[in-house]
């Protein structure tokens, strides 16, 4: 027994006192923080996947995107919280008191506080974006006129890419209005003008027939919920009768479906002799001969 005790004391003496007093506690705090973060992230993932229920309008891919968006946001928030607490504990373990630092940096903290107001506004607005499920990664959105595909969402800002490939970083606090162009389902919404000489019943038959053919096409039927069809006569314009055509599609497919429908409808109109008129203007010109005779008689 005496030999074991002596060997243990000798082993402890090999470590400098400052290592035992400062380094080991810091290493222990870092290791514990990493373990808490790892298990915390796992628990967050399981919790989110359990409470987030799929919508009847959502596909499995869209449901997975929503889950992943929430998981990524809570990952970053949990990591910030854990490392903030760990940093405070490390400072305390090194024997550094935070009170003098806070007192000395009082004015600095006030200045930083004013600057942090905008950041806090962005973060609180980001929390509402997540809770209210306004949009998620993979959606196409219109944020105050900037339209693009959402590539990443953090608590402070949204990153999206427009059709030109330009990446926009939009702070949540600066967003006043959100238009989600890809939530649950989308619509084909077309206004097409036909000539006043057209038989309107014939036009309706052609419009509905082309929509049904498109919805039954093997390459397109998976993207269409209800075929584009005649809805109403929208207006009587100067040169044409304007008709409204409405159809329902899967999310993000409305533009492709509308483009294909326009192409087929134009072809069908040409075959059926239905004219899509250009703007027309009737000009009345005075007869020069009559005007000359009238002047001579006077």
């Amino acid at each position: 027994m005496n030999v074991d005790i002596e060997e243990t004391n000798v082993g402890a003496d090999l470590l400098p006192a400052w290592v035992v007093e400062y380094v080991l506690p810091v290493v222990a705090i870092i290791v514990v923080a990493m373990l808490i973060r790892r298990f915390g992230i796992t628990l967050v993932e399981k919790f989110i996947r359990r409470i987030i229920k799929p919508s009847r309008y959502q596909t499995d891919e869209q449901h997975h995107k929503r889950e992943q968006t929430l998981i990524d946001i809570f990952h970053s928030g949990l990591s910030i919280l854990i490392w903030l607490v760990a940093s405070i504990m490390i400072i305390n373990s090194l024997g550094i008191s935070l009170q003098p630092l806070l007192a000395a940096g009082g004015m600095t903290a006030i200045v930083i506080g004013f600057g942090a107001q905008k950041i806090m506004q962005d973060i609180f607005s980001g929390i509402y974006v997540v809770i209210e499920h306004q949009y998620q990664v993979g959606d196409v959105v219109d944020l105050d006129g900037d339209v693009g595909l959402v590539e990443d969402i953090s608590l402070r800002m949204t990153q999206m890419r427009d059709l030109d490939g330009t990446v926009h970083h939009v702070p949540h606090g600066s967003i006043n209005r959100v238009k989600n162009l890809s939530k649950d389902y989308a619509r084909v919404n077309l206004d097409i003008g036909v000539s006043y000489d057209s038989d309107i019943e014939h036009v309706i038959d052609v419009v509905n027939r082309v929509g049904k053919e498109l919805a039954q096409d093997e390459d397109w039927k998976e993207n269409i919920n209800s075929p584009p069809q005649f809805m109403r006569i929208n207006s009587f314009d100067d040169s044409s009768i304007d008709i409204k055509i409405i159809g329902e599609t899967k999310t993000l497919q409305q533009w492709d479906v509308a483009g294909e429908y326009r192409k087929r409808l134009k072809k069908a109109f040409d075959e059926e002799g239905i004219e899509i008129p250009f703007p027309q203007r009737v000009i009345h010109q005075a007869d020069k001969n009559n005007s000359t005779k009238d002047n001579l008689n006077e």
Side-chain angles (χ1 to χ4, degrees):
M1 285 296 292
N2 294 334
V3 175
D4 294 338
I5 293 174
E6 291 177 359
E7 289 179 354
T8 303
N9 293 335
V10 171
D13 292 339
L14 294 177
L15 294 175
W18 63 271
V19 173
V20 177
E21 186 176 357
Y22 297 113
V23 176
L24 292 182
V26 171
V27 172
I29 291 172
I30 293 175
V31 171
V32 171
M34 293 175 64
L35 292 175
I36 292 176
R37 179 180 177 276
R38 180 176 179 181
F39 288 109
I41 287 175
T42 302
L43 290 175
V44 166
E45 289 184 4
K46 291 182 178 179
F47 177 73
I48 290 176
R49 297 190 190 281
R50 176 169 296 183
I51 65 172
I52 299 300
K53 304 298 181 183
S55 168
R56 64 188 182 94
Y57 295 107
Q58 289 182 322
T59 63
D60 292 339
E61 181 181 359
Q62 292 168 342
H63 177 63
H64 176 71
K65 286 181 178 178
R66 183 186 178 191
E67 288 182 336
Q68 196 59 47
T69 299
L70 293 173
I71 289 171
D72 291 343
I73 290 175
F74 280 101
H75 277 188
S76 60
L78 181 63
S79 297
I80 292 172
L81 178 61
I82 289 174
W83 289 117
L84 179 62
V85 174
S87 299
I88 294 174
M89 294 177 64
I90 289 173
I91 292 174
N92 286 331
S93 68
L94 294 176
I96 301 173
S97 177
L98 292 176
Q99 292 181 354
L101 292 177
L102 293 176
M107 288 302 298
T108 304
I110 293 174
V111 174
I112 294 175
F114 281 111
Q117 286 182 357
K118 177 59 178 174
I119 297 177
M120 295 306 298
Q121 180 184 357
D122 294 338
I123 291 175
F124 280 116
S125 299
I127 291 173
Y128 281 110
V129 169
V130 175
I131 293 176
E132 296 174 355
H133 188 211
Q134 297 177 8
Y135 54 87
Q136 62 190 13
V137 174
D139 283 347
V140 175
V141 297
D142 180 341
L143 305 180
D144 294 327
D146 293 326
V147 181
L149 177 69
V150 177
E151 294 186 339
D152 186 37
I153 302 175
S154 67
L155 282 178
R156 199 178 75 83
M157 68 173 54
T158 292
Q159 175 182 312
M160 65 180 187
R161 188 182 300 272
D162 62 22
L163 287 177
D164 295 326
T166 304
V167 176
H168 299 256
H169 299 274
V170 185
H172 293 140
S174 65
I175 300 173
N176 295 316
R177 185 175 60 180
V178 175
K179 294 181 182 179
N180 192 331
L181 307 182
S182 56
K183 188 172 184 179
D184 298 336
Y185 63 91
R187 279 181 177 168
V188 172
N189 182 4
L190 302 178
D191 294 323
I192 296 179
V194 296
S195 171
Y196 275 96
D197 296 333
S198 302
D199 181 352
I200 195 63
E201 295 298 332
H202 183 214
V203 172
I204 293 173
D205 290 339
V206 174
V207 166
N208 292 342
R209 172 172 58 82
V210 173
K212 290 179 180 179
E213 291 175 354
L214 179 62
Q216 294 171 356
D217 190 292
E218 291 295 328
D219 295 331
W220 293 96
K221 65 181 183 180
E222 295 298 326
N223 298 328
I224 300 175
N225 295 336
S226 62
Q229 58 187 339
F230 173 85
M231 183 178 182
R232 63 172 180 261
I233 293 179
N234 220 30
S235 64
F236 294 109
D237 296 335
D238 294 339
S239 305
S240 64
I241 301 174
D242 190 52
I243 61 175
K244 171 74 70 175
I245 301 173
I246 292 291
E248 188 175 299
T249 72
K250 297 291 193 301
T251 57
L252 301 180
Q253 300 300 321
Q254 63 267 39
W255 301 289
D256 291 339
V257 172
E260 180 66 18
Y261 180 75
R262 287 191 187 96
K263 183 183 74 174
R264 296 188 181 205
L265 190 62
K266 175 62 170 65
K267 184 178 179 181
F269 277 5
D270 291 342
E271 294 173 352
E272 298 292 336
I274 299 173
E275 181 184 0
I276 302 176
F278 291 101
Q280 300 176 5
R281 179 177 296 175
V282 177
I283 300 176
H284 298 278
Q285 185 173 4
D287 190 338
K288 294 182 178 179
N289 295 329
N290 291 337
S291 300
T292 304
K293 290 179 180 179
D294 291 341
N295 293 331
L296 291 175
N297 292 332
E298 291 178 356

